[in-house]
Each structure stands twice: as C-alpha cells, then as structure tokens.
Amino acid sequence: MSNNNMRRSRHQILYQFLPGNTFDYSDKRGIWQVNRLETKDASSQVDRKYIVDRVFARAKNWDGGEQGFTSSKPSHYDFGAPDEVRARPFPTTFYCTTCQRAHGYYSPDDLSGKNQALKCKGSGCNGDLKQYQFASVHSCGEIRRLYPQKCPEHRDQHIVLDTQDSQRAQNFKWRCKICGWNTRVNYYQKCGCDYVPPAYEDDPDEDKMYTTVHRAGSTYYPHYLTTVNLHTSGIGHLRGNEDGSRKALAKHLGLSDSPLQSVNMNEGIEGAEIDDDRKIEVYQSEPSVESLAEAEEWLRENGEIDSQTVGEVISDLIDLEAGGDAEEMTSAGDELLQYVLSLEELTAHTIDELENDARREGFPQKADKISTYSNDIDRLGFRDVRVIEDFPVQTFVYGYTRGSREEDEARLNAFSQNASSGDGTPIFVDTSETEATQFDLDPATVLLWLAVNIQETSDEDAVRGNITLPSLPENPEEADIERARAAIEELSEAEQWAFVLNHLDPVDQYGRFDTTTEDTVEGQVTKYVFEMLHTLSHVLLKQASTISGFDRTNLSEFLFPRALSLVIYTNNREEFNIGGMTTMVEQQLDDLLSQAKAHGNECMMDPVCSQRDGACLSCLHVSEISCSYFNQVLCRDYLFGSRPNTDRSIEGFWRL
C-alpha cells in the first residue's frame, strides 16, 4: 500500500479531498488520508492582495487562534488550482477479519515494510486485515490512529477492540481474549499539546482528544472564501478602497448612468423637478427670461432647483464610517461592487428580455407564458429575476479546523507548505463561469416588512441616518399597512436603499452577526434581512433542484445581502453550459415560485423544528457544498411567519 495517486474533479477535491482529510477509497481499498495536492499555478486568475488581506484578517481575528498564517504578504502564499490528489493509508490500525486481533503500525511506510500483504500475524491465522474506521481528533488540529495496548501477561498477541455494543467511543476498550484484561481506549488517545480553546479555558479537561468515525463531519472542517471574480473584469483595482465603494454606491443608488469605472463623484444631480406652471410664471414675470429653458435656469440660479454632486448625495444619505481604518464603507462598497458587476459586466437576461427574445425568434406561446411571470414576481416581493450565462465564481480554501467550526472551540490551521506542489502556504482555488439565476427583492416591500416587525425603525433617535420608516401599531390592520406602504413608496429609490445600507452589518461566512449592535435597530434589521434572504435562498434552491434537473449538490448559493439579492448557480464545473437554468426560468418560473411558497414551510420534524430553530435537515438544510454559511442563520419564520407554538413573534415576509 504505497503512496498512490487519485484523480478527482477540481470541484470534488475542494470539498472532499483536501490535505489532512480522510476518505473511503473506491474498490474497497480501505481508508486513506490526503497528504498532498498537485496544483497548477492560478495566481494570474486571482486578485492576490485582496484575497490575502481577507484571509489573513479572518485568521488573525479567529478567537481560537491560528497556526501557519505567518505573513500578510501575497508573495508568502501559493494560489494553486488542484489537479491531482496524493494520499496514503490512514489510520494504520487494523483488525483481523477472522480472529479480530488488533494490529498497529506507526505509519504507512512501517505498514508497507512489515505487512504489505495485510495478513494477520496471529499464530496460524493468516486472515485478512481491515482498518478500524475510527480516528481521534483534537481541537488543535491533530488527528491520530487508535493505539492498541498490550496485556501484561499475553502482550499484544490476543488484543481486540471491544466496543461493548456501544456507538460511543468513550465506552470502547482494548481487551485480551485470553485472560480478559482490559483498559479503556480513551486513556491512551492523548494529544499532548498545550492548546486550549477559549471556550474551555475555565475547564481545560473538557477539551480532550476524542474518538469518532473517521468520516464524521467533526473530524475536518475546511474553511472557504467564495467571491465573484472581478479580476478578469478589469475593475478588481476598485476593491477594498473607498473610491471603489463610492462608485458602487452611486450606481446602486441610481445616482449615475455612467459605467462603473467612469462614475464621477463631482457629477451634478438635480433635485425635485419644478412643474411647468412655475416655469411659465417665471417666463411671464421676469423681463430677462425669454424662454422656458431660461426660466428653468433662472429657477436654478435662484435656489428653486437644488443641485448636488453624486458625492454630496452619498454623504447626505449614507451613514457609514469612512476614511482611515474604517471598514464600514469599504465592506458595503465591496459587496455592492460585486453586485453591480453582475448587472453591468455579465451576460444576463431579464424576464422582459426573455419574453422579447422568444417573440423575435418566433415562439409566441413561450413568450406569452413568460409574460405571465411578472404577477408572481411582484406578488412574492421580487423586483426582478434574471438568468446569467457566465456567473464568475471563485472559491478559495485556506485552512481547516477539527472538532468544531466555532471559532472559540478550535484552532484555525493553514495548510502545510508541503501540502501542495507550489511554493508558499497553499490557498487552493477553483475558478469557473457558470449558469445562474439571480433573484432581486423589492426594497420598498422589504422596508414595509421591517416596519411591521421592528417598531424602532420609525424612531429618528434610534435609526442611523436621517431616514425613518412609518410608525405602525403592534398589531396593524390592513389599512395601517397600506398607509405605511404608501409612505414608503413616496421615498425615492436612493432613500429606500440608503435605509437598507445604513442598517445592514456584515455577516461573516460562519453566519455570525456583530454582537455589539444586536440590541440596536441596526442589529435587528441585519438579523431580519439576512435570515429572511438566506432562508429564501434555501427554499428556492431546494425547489430549483427538483425543477431544473440538477442534483441538489450541483446547485449553490451566493448572497448579496446589502443588495437584497441572491444567486442560485450551478457548480457542476462542466466546460459547457447545458442551459438548465435558462430552461427553468423560461418554462417553469411560475412553478418554482408557487411551489416555494406552497411547500417551503413544510417540515417532517414539526412541531419540534418550529419550536426550536425553525430550520433542520428536513426543511432548510442543504449540503455544505451548496450553502455559503454552513446552514447557519436560517429560520422559516422570517419568510412564513412564526407559528403559535413558538416563543418567536415574527410576521413572515410572504405573509404581507
């Protein structure tokens, strides 16, 4: 069993075959552990500084500490696209399928040198050996095999693993078949390090190395960063800086019609239009005015038509910290930069464009069907739905934890420099352009939903910025809601978006909110908007998998929370687009939306699921390949409303 090569798709490698992870080899070849990936240089496809800055910041802010992230210099890291997997047998502790005797070897080389045939060494047995499926892991990142012990009298000749018919490894014992001597397995599974995660500082003995099945999810948690690839669009230089953020804000607020790179902060924006009667009045009363155009200029010069620059409007509307080390503006701007890219740079088709294309190509029945979708879109609170042919996704894997994904319960480990064929600390990369469907929510509808659920949004002393939402009673009547709807629709589009942007904190990839603002309007709005949007994403993803023909694990999500937008994209990494997304939207968007609303609140585990978190494997959870946030911050209440048997009181977005 020497060092063998395995070939898998890049997508499979990034999610299942990373260095340090174990897997069951096909063809009954046992359990193996990845020790190295052969990679191709991907640095030319990557905005190296931007990615390293984000990875390094995550590592240094990880509460449980980190190991291996020693530099913030891009040159210290190797960006490699996985091409080939190298793996070795692990664990190297076996049992005889005939007599059950345990056999332990220090390493794959020790195994290869002493027992390459994998035959039992017991006297007269010669049975076949098979690996134990158990391994021991520790929060520091260590993983070890089981260590068979020796009977004081009969040594290791008759030692077997006695599970005592238990599924719990803490009950396992090494036992001598001759005299019955035994000792607990966990007595000898010690890490020996001095690492203690913050969660166990008060009781370090609770942070022990524990034994479990090697394929259990807790033995290995890869850490990912997924982003829209701006590098090839030519605007990657706008990332992570205030200038790029303000340009993205200007586009998103509708303050400029110029292409993103050409947005000018000094460009003038006129305020409210002056009606024609006032212009005529000036024309008739002012001797120097000889035309309506001159009347408009006279009104502007005399302050009756306000004019501001793009930059001034942003400063007036957006209440985000900017300048120096402030990250609020650059964080919001970076997300919006990616969103604006999805509108400006990609090959996308709106519902109206799909309808027009169908009519132009001679398919009137298809066009007529597509034309009916606008009712469903409006009814469910969407502003737009579009198909993207070339959604550019980049996934980066930069490290792993064992035992837990929670940052106060485990150390974040970088991959060893020996774990790839490149030079430097590896960050593994997958870049693809793939089909996607993008769903944009209507900001006015979201603001109405927030006003119904969070009364403090009407308090000018509690909100950020100078925009408030209408005040509503605790149990509003339909007339109250309609009055609030009308008031919100009187706000300009820029004002509506400004309220959203001023009150959305960043949410990291682990679904964690900023706890310093959790009791503020800002914190409440962040929780409501993000959990609703994320829940909606999972509901649509699950329904899309049944309609589009894609396996559920072949669909993934990408969220733009500050743009109230979500993307469902195919992650099958084929070299061609098979058109499944376009077909789904053209032919079955009405089915997708109606089924999402009709069945999205169903759960086999109710009422238990609803009484707990409102999200579980039976209703909302999807594969970690598909979810950007590891199935965290999900709850059906935000979309469908709280049920009477829960301790929550949330009016669902789809119940308005």
Side-chain angles (χ1 to χ4, degrees):
M1 298 182 71
S2 59
N3 193 352
N4 283 14
N5 295 347
M6 273 189 65
R7 291 192 178 274
R8 290 292 187 268
S9 72
R10 189 166 299 158
H11 177 64
Q12 288 177 304
I13 294 172
L14 278 182
Y15 287 95
Q16 301 174 34
F17 300 96
L18 290 163
N21 202 8
T22 59
F23 61 92
D24 294 299
Y25 211 132
S26 56
D27 300 325
K28 298 181 180 180
R29 296 181 64 182
I31 304 165
W32 292 57
Q33 182 182 42
V34 179
N35 64 314
R36 179 181 172 89
L37 297 182
E38 301 299 330
T39 59
K40 294 180 178 178
D41 181 27
S43 58
S44 63
Q45 307 170 27
V46 175
D47 186 345
R48 292 168 57 90
K49 184 179 185 306
Y50 174 78
I51 298 301
V52 168
D53 284 348
R54 293 188 69 181
V55 168
F56 192 74
R58 285 186 178 184
K60 293 305 177 182
N61 291 323
W62 185 259
D63 287 349
E66 53 78 24
Q67 181 171 270
F69 298 94
T70 58
S71 174
S72 60
K73 296 180 179 179
S75 59
H76 182 82
Y77 297 87
D78 175 70
F79 290 88
D83 186 53
E84 186 176 287
V85 175
R86 292 186 180 273
R88 309 184 77 186
F90 179 88
T92 52
T93 305
F94 298 75
Y95 66 93
C96 174
T97 56
T98 301
C99 70
Q100 305 301 308
R101 177 192 166 183
H103 296 65
Y105 299 91
Y106 294 112
S107 66
D109 290 337
D110 185 44
L111 170 65
S112 180
K114 294 179 179 178
N115 193 356
Q116 191 168 8
L118 294 180
K119 292 295 184 178
C120 180
K121 297 299 184 179
S123 178
C125 180
N126 203 39
D128 294 327
L129 297 188
K130 187 175 182 178
Q131 288 162 295
Y132 288 117
Q133 62 177 333
F134 306 105
S136 298
V137 297
H138 187 237
S139 59
C140 70
E142 185 69 19
I143 184 169
R144 294 184 179 176
R145 66 182 180 90
L146 300 186
Y147 298 103
Q149 299 302 302
K150 295 181 179 180
C151 169
E153 183 175 354
H154 302 99
R155 309 300 291 165
D156 60 359
Q157 295 300 306
H158 304 282
I159 292 294
V160 298
L161 180 64
D162 183 1
T163 64
Q164 302 191 90
D165 296 323
S166 173
Q167 298 295 318
R168 305 181 65 185
Q170 65 185 27
N171 295 326
F172 293 179
K173 294 182 177 181
W174 295 115
R175 180 173 58 83
C176 177
K177 290 176 62 177
I178 301 300
C179 67
W181 173 89
N182 66 82
T183 184
R184 288 192 178 276
V185 168
N186 61 5
Y187 289 168
Y188 307 93
Q189 301 304 119
K190 307 290 185 182
C191 181
C193 73
D194 57 4
Y195 173 75
V196 178
Y200 298 101
E201 286 178 350
D202 294 336
D203 192 2
D205 290 339
E206 288 297 311
D207 180 50
K208 298 177 180 177
M209 178 170 267
Y210 70 95
T211 301
T212 186
V213 177
H214 82 94
R215 68 181 70 87
S218 62
T219 64
Y220 192 90
Y221 293 104
H223 287 248
Y224 300 93
L225 173 64
T226 302
T227 183
V228 176
N229 182 18
L230 302 184
H231 189 63
T232 57
S233 70
I235 59 175
H237 64 282
L238 295 177
R239 271 181 156 169
N241 64 76
E242 195 170 319
D243 177 56
S245 298
R246 290 185 177 277
K247 287 177 183 287
L249 283 167
K251 291 292 293 182
H252 188 61
L253 294 176
L255 302 179
S256 176
D257 294 327
S258 301
L260 182 65
Q261 294 198 72
S262 302
V263 171
N264 182 358
M265 290 297 112
N266 295 317
E267 178 184 346
I269 301 175
E270 290 189 354
E273 290 286 335
I274 299 297
D275 61 34
D276 289 340
D277 289 342
R278 178 63 179 132
K279 295 178 185 178
I280 293 172
E281 180 184 343
V282 170
Y283 172 66
Q284 294 175 340
S285 62
E286 295 295 330
S288 62
V289 174
E290 298 180 354
S291 67
L292 290 180
E294 290 184 10
E296 183 173 328
E297 185 62 28
W298 186 94
L299 289 167
R300 183 177 293 106
E301 290 175 354
N302 286 272
E304 292 191 43
I305 298 180
D306 294 329
S307 180
Q308 288 181 295
T309 66
V310 170
E312 288 171 342
V313 174
I314 291 175
S315 296
D316 286 348
L317 291 177
I318 303 300
D319 184 22
L320 298 176
E321 293 181 12
D325 295 329
E327 294 183 0
E328 281 191 326
M329 180 67 78
T330 54
S331 176
D334 180 64
E335 183 179 314
L336 292 178
L337 196 66
Q338 297 180 68
Y339 174 74
V340 170
L341 169 72
S342 73
L343 302 180
E344 192 172 281
E345 298 284 332
L346 305 183
T347 307
H349 308 279
T350 65
I351 295 300
D352 288 343
E353 290 169 344
L354 290 174
E355 178 190 349
N356 293 335
D357 289 345
R359 293 197 190 282
R360 188 179 64 255
E361 294 167 4
F363 299 103
Q365 290 183 324
K366 178 196 287 189
D368 290 343
K369 181 175 178 61
I370 295 173
S371 70
T372 66
Y373 294 160
S374 58
N375 293 331
D376 295 311
I377 291 172
D378 294 341
R379 181 171 52 86
L380 294 183
F382 294 104
R383 182 181 59 168
D384 203 358
V385 177
R386 67 183 68 86
V387 178
I388 301 174
E389 295 182 14
D390 51 355
F391 189 63
V393 182
Q394 275 190 325
T395 302
F396 302 87
V397 191
Y398 56 88
Y400 65 93
T401 56
R402 296 194 193 274
S404 176
R405 188 182 285 115
E406 299 299 322
E407 68 172 308
D408 63 342
E409 295 180 358
R411 181 164 64 195
L412 178 61
N413 298 278
F415 295 111
S416 163
Q417 293 191 16
N418 295 325
S420 81
S421 52
D423 295 325
T425 300
I427 296 178
F428 300 110
V429 186
D430 185 20
T431 301
S432 67
E433 289 188 352
T434 184
E435 289 182 302
T437 303
Q438 188 165 19
F439 299 84
D440 291 345
L441 291 175
D442 175 48
T445 306
V446 173
L447 293 186
L448 177 63
W449 175 67
L450 291 173
V452 169
N453 282 284
I454 307 172
Q455 292 189 331
E456 294 90 337
T457 54
S458 64
D459 184 350
E460 62 182 15
D461 295 325
V463 301
R464 292 188 68 171
N466 54 18
I467 301 166
T468 59
L469 300 185
S471 177
L472 284 164
E474 187 170 345
N475 296 300
E477 302 290 338
E478 185 64 29
D480 298 319
I481 292 177
E482 289 308 311
R483 280 194 295 272
R485 190 192 306 274
I488 289 171
E489 289 177 351
E490 287 181 2
L491 297 172
S492 68
E493 182 180 356
E495 289 172 327
Q496 292 175 7
W497 280 117
F499 186 92
V500 173
L501 295 170
N502 287 338
H503 293 90
L504 278 187
D505 289 328
V507 180
D508 70 17
Q509 70 172 129
Y510 312 103
R512 294 171 304 194
F513 299 107
D514 181 357
T515 57
T516 62
T517 63
E518 61 186 349
D519 295 327
T520 66
V521 173
E522 187 179 351
Q524 293 179 73
V525 168
T526 300
K527 183 173 178 61
Y528 269 74
V529 169
F530 189 86
E531 293 212 32
M532 182 270 285
L533 187 67
H534 194 205
T535 299
L536 174 59
S537 177
H538 279 228
V539 170
L540 292 174
L541 189 151
K542 282 197 163 189
Q543 293 301 325
S545 70
T546 65
I547 289 175
S548 66
F550 290 107
D551 185 89
R552 190 174 298 170
T553 59
N554 284 339
L555 295 176
S556 294
E557 66 177 358
F558 193 93
L559 305 187
F560 300 101
R562 291 182 176 93
L564 303 178
S565 180
L566 65 94
V567 178
I568 306 298
Y569 66 90
T570 61
N571 59 36
N572 57 4
R573 304 304 193 263
E574 298 291 341
E575 294 300 322
F576 58 94
N577 290 331
I578 61 175
M581 281 289 181
T582 302
T583 300
M584 179 190 73
V585 173
E586 286 181 335
Q587 300 180 7
Q588 297 175 294
L589 181 62
D590 53 346
D591 291 337
L592 170 65
L593 297 179
S594 62
Q595 289 184 30
K597 186 173 184 182
H599 303 296
N601 201 25
E602 296 174 353
C603 182
M604 293 175 58
M605 301 304 295
D606 271 340
V608 175
C609 177
S610 291
Q611 290 170 345
R612 292 182 177 174
D613 299 324
C616 70
L617 282 169
S618 296
C619 55
L620 290 181
H621 288 186
V622 296
S623 165
E624 290 189 354
I625 295 174
S626 301
C627 178
S628 300
Y629 298 90
F630 303 104
N631 287 313
Q632 303 296 308
V633 288
L634 293 164
C635 180
R636 287 177 284 131
D637 293 20
Y638 291 94
L639 203 54
F640 299 98
S642 299
R643 299 191 178 189
N645 60 347
T646 72
D647 59 0
R648 299 179 295 274
S649 180
I650 300 170
E651 182 65 36
F653 181 72
W654 275 352
R655 288 178 59 176
L656 281 180

